[in-house]
């Protein structure tokens, strides 16, 4: 019914504290539903699920701390966080405000988020990340409403942390920066792969780090806040620098050796990823696989699953990062604890807040913005034409996306045929590193004409090779390695967005739009005011919000006011 990340309300990227605003909003949704008479319930919720279990692997944790006292600090800070969440929950539970409280181990929640949200009756299920509740990998077999656990990788070994270590070494220190290294790798040669293989290897289902290259297991890992965003302390040792060169300073020039190292790290990640996937495939004999955990957001590796494994069906949880464990924990309780049958398939990510005309219009009026209200057909035609003319369009419609990708409801759209569009977007709005790709949304029924793999990719978590003959037709969304991290848009799932792309196809013969998230170095916009603010502050040309169509050229006054403020602030 509802899913939203706290960062969209408090506007702090990757916020990981108690999600007060998000919980409040979800409860409000529930209240609205009961008012409509669809649910009659005496209290707002019957069960509350938290994707963290302080008691998980307690024996192993204590043993670890006994042998390495330096782990105390990390363990204690994590435990404190869990305990404070638990206390709040238990107090509310005791007061009869909340129903029963459930703690779900981190990776069980990841697994549940992948399998129970998938359309498969049975599948292999794998979760791979940095760490959570002392594990970095967990896998099993999902059948009906149960996942049978078969294996795990425990602290301090982690494929996710291997990737993070090199991301840090390459000068991308922020939480979630792994994307940047993956993007950079597409432009390199894997000439350091042999040396990188000394850092990590996978045997059976066990991903093993060569711990000489790491310090997380001896010194612990600190999470700090820098510039309003979380940042992980270094996890690599001096030996990694000795072997691969001094760490690049953030924003220092990127040399060919950096690019080649990124490429090598990605190649070795893929080797380990597929060793694990193939092991699980052989052990389970399953035809389908469901994936979650931060490493499952590696869209380049995901794009090779059909090529490099015997799996023939795949479902990647769109919120594979830790935010998705909230959905997973809820599904875990629903099926594993309450033994309810499955009836839900997560086919889209539009589970966030929606703002209707009655909220959009006052936001426009308050700003004194010039706008035109249009019927759907005209709105779609005008927008498609603007994009074809090279305009950058803010597209704000319906319910906000859950998870890291904007998928056509809070998106910035542009013409993928223009070679210079990537630079234009970066110069005018996104300010990203030039090697990071922008991604295509394509009409689902036409994906096979443009991509070498014709398999649904509704969530932009898979990169497929673009057919060589098509690459030069959509250069702004073709990455350095000839792939595109695509969103296949289905008519039944996103009718308005589908119509817009179809109209663009009619005008240009290209059923593809460049789609990037509606934000400027901040969490994706949530409210109409935030969207309008972002439109006025940046050099976006057009804003389409609900049925309202705004041109920047008619709103220059408001825009200039904003930009002056922004410039003063940045000085
Ligand atoms: Fe995780």
């Amino acid at each position: 019914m509802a899913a939203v990340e706290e960062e969209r309300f408090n506007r702090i990227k990757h916020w990981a504290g108690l999600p007060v605003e998000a919980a409040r909003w979800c409860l409000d949704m529930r209240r609205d539903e009961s008012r409509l008479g669809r649910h009659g319930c005496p209290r707002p919720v019957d069960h509350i699920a938290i994707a963290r279990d302080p008691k998980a692997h307690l024996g192993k944790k204590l043993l670890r701390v006994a042998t390495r006292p330096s782990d105390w600090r990390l363990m204690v800070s994590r435990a404190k966080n869990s305990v404070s969440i638990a206390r709040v929950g238990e107090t509310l539970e005791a007061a009869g405000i909340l129903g029963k409280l459930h703690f779900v181990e981190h990776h069980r929640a990841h697994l549940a988020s992948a399998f129970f949200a998938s359309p498969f009756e049975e599948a292999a299920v794998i979760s791979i990340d940095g760490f959570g509740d002392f594990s970095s990998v967990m896998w099993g077999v999902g059948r009906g409403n149960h996942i049978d656990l078969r294996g795990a990788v425990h602290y301090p070994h982690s494929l996710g942390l291997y990737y993070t270590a090199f991301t840090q070494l390459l000068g991308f220190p922020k939480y979630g920066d792994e994307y940047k290294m993956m993007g950079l790798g597409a432009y390199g040669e894997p000439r350091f792969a042999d040396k990188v293989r000394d850092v990590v290897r996978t045997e059976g289902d066990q991903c093993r780090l060569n711990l000489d290259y790491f310090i997380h297991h001896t010194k612990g890992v600190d999470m700090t806040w820098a510039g309003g965003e979380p940042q992980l302390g270094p996890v690599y040792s001096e030996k990694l620098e000795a072997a691969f060169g001094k760490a690049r300073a953030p924003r220092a020039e990127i040399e060919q050796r950096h690019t080649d190292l990124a490429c090598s790290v990605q190649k070795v990640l893929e080797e380990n990823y597929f060793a694990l996937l193939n092991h699980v495939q052989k052990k389970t004999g399953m035809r389908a696989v469901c994936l979650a955990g931060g490493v499952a957001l590696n869209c380049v590796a995901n794009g090779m699953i059909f090529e490099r494994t015997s799996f023939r069906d795949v479902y990647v949880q769109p919120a594979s990062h830790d935010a998705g464990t909230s959905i997973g924990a809820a599904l875990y309780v629903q099926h594993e604890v309450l033994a309810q049958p499955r009836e839900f398939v997560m086919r889209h990510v539009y589970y966030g807040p929606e703002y209707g005309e009655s909220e959009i219009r006052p936001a426009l009026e308050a700003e004194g913005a010039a706008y035109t209200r249009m019927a759907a057909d005209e709105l779609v035609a005008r927008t498609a034409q603007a994009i074809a003319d090279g305009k950058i369009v803010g597209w704000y419609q319906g319910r906000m996306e859950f998870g890291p990708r904007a998928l056509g409801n809070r998106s910035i759209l542009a013409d993928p045929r223009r070679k210079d569009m990537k630079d234009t977007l970066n110069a005018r709005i996104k300010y990203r590193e030039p090697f990071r790709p922008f991604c295509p949304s394509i009409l689902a029924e036409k994906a096979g004409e443009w991509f070498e793999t014709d398999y649904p990719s509704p969530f932009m978590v898979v990169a497929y090779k673009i057919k060589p003959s098509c690459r030069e037709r959509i250069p702004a969304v073709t990455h350095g390695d000839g792939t595109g991290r695509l969103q296949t848009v289905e008519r039944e799932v996103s009718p308005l967005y589908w119509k817009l792309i179809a109209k663009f196809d009619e005008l240009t013969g290209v059923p593809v739009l460049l789609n990037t998230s509606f934000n400027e170095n901040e969490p994706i916009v949530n409210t109409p005011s935030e969207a309008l603010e972002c439109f006025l502050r940046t050099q976006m040309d057009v804003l389409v919000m609900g049925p309202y169509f705004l041109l920047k050229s008619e709103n220059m006054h408001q825009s200039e006011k904003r930009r002056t403020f922004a410039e003063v602030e940045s000085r």
Side-chain angles (χ1 to χ4, degrees), residues 554-566:
E554 294 175 2
N555 288 281
M556 283 315 279
H557 174 63
Q558 286 85 349
S559 177
E560 266 151 24
K561 215 165 58 187
R562 284 300 183 304
R563 279 164 57 195
T564 315
F565 281 137

Side-chain angles (χ1 to χ4, degrees), residues 191-338:
R191 64 187 166 107
F192 303 119
D194 249 354
K195 265 170 88 178
V196 175
R197 288 189 188 103
D198 188 44
V199 180
V200 65
R201 67 194 155 81
T202 297
E203 277 165 23
D205 68 349
Q206 290 303 302
C207 306
R208 282 275 171 265
L209 296 176
N210 179 341
L211 291 168
D212 295 346
Y213 291 106
F214 294 86
I215 55 165
H216 63 282
H217 58 296
T218 54
K219 299 210 169 120
V221 183
D222 280 325
M223 186 80 102
T224 55
W225 289 80
E229 283 182 52
Q231 193 169 315
L232 216 58
V235 299
Y236 61 84
S237 73
E238 284 167 8
K239 185 172 171 173
L240 198 78
E241 280 192 288
F244 298 98
K246 265 229 135 333
R248 172 183 159 266
R251 283 181 289 277
E253 197 193 331
I254 292 176
E255 300 163 25
Q256 191 59 42
R257 68 184 175 94
H258 297 131
T259 310
D260 290 344
L261 182 56
C263 180
S264 309
V265 172
Q266 173 66 25
K267 187 182 163 76
V268 173
L269 175 96
E270 287 159 16
E271 290 168 6
N272 283 270
Y273 195 64
F274 292 118
L276 177 61
L277 262 64
N278 280 318
H279 175 84
V280 170
Q281 201 284 326
K282 280 199 189 79
K283 288 285 172 191
T284 62
M286 286 290 156
R287 180 191 154 83
V289 63
C290 301
L291 293 161
V295 179
L297 286 175
N298 196 297
C299 57
V300 177
N302 288 342
M304 302 171 180
I305 288 174
F306 298 131
E307 224 171 285
R308 295 181 59 173
T309 77
S310 305
F311 288 121
R312 285 297 157 261
D313 277 306
V314 57
Y315 182 87
V316 183
Q317 162 57 237
S320 271
H321 62 327
D322 285 350
T325 58
S326 56
I327 294 179
L331 288 169
Y332 180 93
V333 170
Q334 173 81 343
H335 301 303
E336 298 277 6
V337 179
L338 305 174

